[in-house]
Amino acid sequence: MNTHKILIAGPCAAESREQLFATAKELIDLQIDYHSFEFSFFRAGIWKARTNPNDFQGVGSEAFSWLQEIKKQFGFKICVEVANAEHARQCLENDIDAVWIGARTTVNPFLVQAIAETVQHSALTVLVKNPINPDLNLWIGAIQRFQNAGIKKVLAVHRGFSIENENVYRNSPCWEISMALRLKMPEIKILCDISHIAGNVVLQQMVAQTAINYGFNGLMIEVHHAPDKALSDSKQQLLPSQFSDLLQTLIFPSSNSSAADALFFQRNLIKSIDIQISKLLSKRMELVDEIAVIKRKHALPLLQPDQWKRVVEVYEDNALKDNNYTHFLEEFLFLLHKNSLRRQENI
Ligand code: PEP
Ligand code: MN
C-alpha cells in the first residue's frame, strides 16, 4: 500500500539529545513498517526560522552528533532544514541525507541559488517547500535552481500559504497551486506538510486525507514525544500514538478500478469539503452569538437589513451561475438568516 508513498516524521525542532531519542524510539516502537515506503526520513529542524526573536531559535550544529546517533541506532535517514549556504555546507559534512528549504527561504532566489551551488552534484535529497505567499512561479524557480545544480532527487513540499482572512488553517492550503505545480512539473513528487497547514492536531487527519485524494506522493508530519513541552509549534505536533492512529485512518485508493474506485477521489473530496463547511457553519453561529451580546449591550436592533444585504452579496458574488443554484441559495440564505435571528433572540 505504501510502496509509492514517502513519509517524513519527527519533531519540529531538535531540542536535546534526550528529546530526539525519546521521539525516535517511540516512532520505532509503533511497529510501522518504514521500509514499506518508497522512502522515509526522520525530520528535525536545527536552525529555526522564527518570527519572534525571543522564541527558541534552534540548537544549531550541536544537534548533528545527536542526529548521527539516531541514524546509527534506529536506521532512520535524516532530514533537516537549511536556510543558507553555510547550513547546507554543514549538512554535507555531517552525513545528512535530505534537506528541506523552508517557506521563508524559498521566497529568496539569492539564498536558494547559494544553497543550490553549495550542494551541487551531491547525493542529497532536496525538498523545496512552497514559498510563504501563493506564488507558483517562485516555487517552480526554486525547484529549477536545484535541478540545474545537478541534484537528482528534488521534491516539492506543500505547506500552505500565508493569506489574509484565513481563519480555519494556520496556513491556507490553496490546493489549486500544488495541482498547478503538478501540471507544470509532472516529474516532481509533491509531499504535503499537514502540520504547518493545520496548525493544530484536530484538522490534520482531514488535511492528510485531502492530500491523498489529490494524489500527493507522501506526507510530512511533526511528531514529538511530549508536544505540550515542545519548544516550538507545540499545538500542532502529534504524539507518536496519534501519528500512528492518523496513518491507520487514512484511506488509500485501491488499484482495481471498480465503480466505487472511480468515485473514490470525488467522494473523499466531498467529505473533506463537508467537514470544512460544518466547522465553518459552527464557527459562524458562534460569531452570531457574540454579535448578539454586543447588540444587547448597546441596545441595537436585532434585525439590521443593510448588514444582511451585505451578507447576501458575498454569497451571490461567489455563486455558481445557474438557476438551480440560485434557487438553492435563496432557500439556504433564508434558513441561515432565520436561524441566526432565532439564536440572537434567545441570548
Ligand atoms: C518546519 O518544517 O518546521 C518549518 C519551519 O517549516 P516552514 O518553512 O514550512 O514554516
Ligand atoms: Mn514546525
Side-chain angles (χ1 to χ4, degrees):
M1 182 216 280
N2 297 321
T3 48
H4 59 293
K5 295 283 173 210
I6 299 157
L7 181 66
I8 302 183
C12 176
E15 298 166 5
S16 67
R17 185 178 179 281
E18 293 66 36
Q19 169 249 6
L20 287 181
F21 266 72
T23 304
K25 165 110 183 30
E26 287 196 39
L27 281 173
I28 288 289
D29 289 348
L30 293 171
Q31 311 279 340
I32 292 169
D33 183 6
Y34 294 104
H35 296 293
S36 70
F37 290 85
E38 179 184 337
F39 40 93
S40 57
F41 293 99
F42 180 83
R43 63 152 282 159
I46 64 181
W47 300 281
K48 297 303 298 176
R50 306 304 298 283
T51 304
N52 184 335
N54 300 319
D55 285 344
F56 172 64
Q57 306 289 305
V59 295
S61 330
E62 190 185 1
F64 281 123
S65 61
W66 308 333
L67 289 168
Q68 282 163 6
E69 280 185 71
I70 297 275
K71 185 169 174 168
K72 233 194 223 151
Q73 183 156 337
F74 301 102
F76 282 124
K77 289 192 167 168
I78 307 291
C79 181
V80 306
E81 174 173 352
V82 295
N84 59 40
E86 175 55 20
H87 293 168
R89 193 190 61 72
Q90 293 191 32
C91 285
L92 287 173
E93 269 182 6
N94 284 284
D95 205 19
I96 295 298
D97 303 287
V99 294
W100 81 84
I101 310 300
R104 294 163 195 76
T105 308
T106 307
V107 290
N108 185 331
F110 288 126
L111 282 175
V112 174
Q113 184 61 28
I115 297 169
E117 285 170 19
T118 306
V119 302
Q120 65 184 329
H121 303 302
S122 71
L124 272 181
T125 296
V126 177
L127 301 125
V128 183
K129 287 202 174 192
N130 64 256
I132 294 197
N133 53 321
D135 182 336
L136 176 62
N137 289 332
L138 206 47
W139 198 4
I140 291 179
I143 292 169
Q144 286 171 336
R145 285 175 198 274
F146 289 99
Q147 289 178 319
N148 294 345
I151 296 296
K152 295 273 181 304
K153 283 187 234 144
V154 186
L155 290 83
V157 181
H158 172 90
R159 54 75 80 191
F161 301 87
S162 185
I163 60 163
E164 252 187 320
N165 299 326
E166 170 56 74
N167 47 31
V168 175
Y169 302 100
R170 176 173 177 195
N171 289 294
S172 186
C174 306
W175 298 105
E176 67 283 0
I177 294 185
S178 283
M179 293 305 106
L181 177 66
R182 161 128 306 145
L183 291 175
K184 291 209 172 174
M185 303 186 99
E187 76 283 14
I188 295 293
K189 294 193 167 158
I190 315 179
L191 311 190
C192 182
D193 171 347
I194 62 170
S195 313
H196 289 87
I197 290 179
N200 60 44
V201 171
V202 178
L203 282 176
Q204 288 187 39
Q205 197 273 338
M206 183 200 51
V207 175
Q209 187 62 57
T210 307
I212 287 165
N213 299 345
Y214 271 117
F216 276 70
N217 303 98
L219 301 173
M220 181 186 251
I221 306 177
E222 288 188 340
V223 186
H224 191 292
H225 76 106
D228 51 335
K229 298 204 185 80
L231 301 181
S232 59
D233 288 351
S234 65
K235 288 203 191 86
Q236 71 190 34
Q237 301 203 60
L238 301 183
L239 281 164
S241 58
Q242 291 172 319
F243 165 70
S244 159
D245 289 348
L246 182 141
L247 288 187
Q248 278 169 31
T249 59
L250 295 177
I251 310 164
F252 290 85
S254 76
S255 46
N256 50 21
S257 56
S258 64
D261 291 333
L263 292 173
F264 177 87
F265 287 108
Q266 287 83 348
R267 286 212 168 123
N268 279 301
L269 281 178
I270 283 188
K271 183 173 167 199
S272 80
I273 289 172
D274 285 338
I275 295 172
Q276 294 177 65
I277 292 176
S278 151
K279 285 189 194 256
L280 287 171
L281 267 181
S282 306
K283 182 78 199 159
R284 194 185 193 286
M285 292 301 171
E286 281 169 18
L287 288 168
V288 163
D289 293 353
E290 285 173 25
I291 287 174
V293 173
I294 297 171
K295 281 182 181 164
R296 167 142 308 180
K297 192 163 156 212
H298 296 277
L300 293 169
L302 278 190
L303 181 66
Q304 296 185 305
D306 281 352
Q307 171 57 20
W308 182 246
K309 239 196 238 160
R310 283 192 284 273
V311 173
V312 171
E313 274 165 18
V314 168
Y315 281 89
E316 286 175 348
D317 287 349
N318 292 288
L320 279 183
K321 305 286 177 254
D322 69 48
N323 284 340
N324 281 340
Y325 191 84
T326 307
H327 188 62
F328 158 76
L329 196 55
E330 271 170 21
E331 287 180 350
F332 170 73
L333 288 173
F334 176 78
L335 249 188
L336 186 65
H337 198 209
K338 186 171 118 186
N339 277 279
S340 299
L341 287 175
R342 193 189 295 148
R343 288 184 79 84
Q344 298 208 346
E345 281 163 22
N346 292 339
I347 282 190

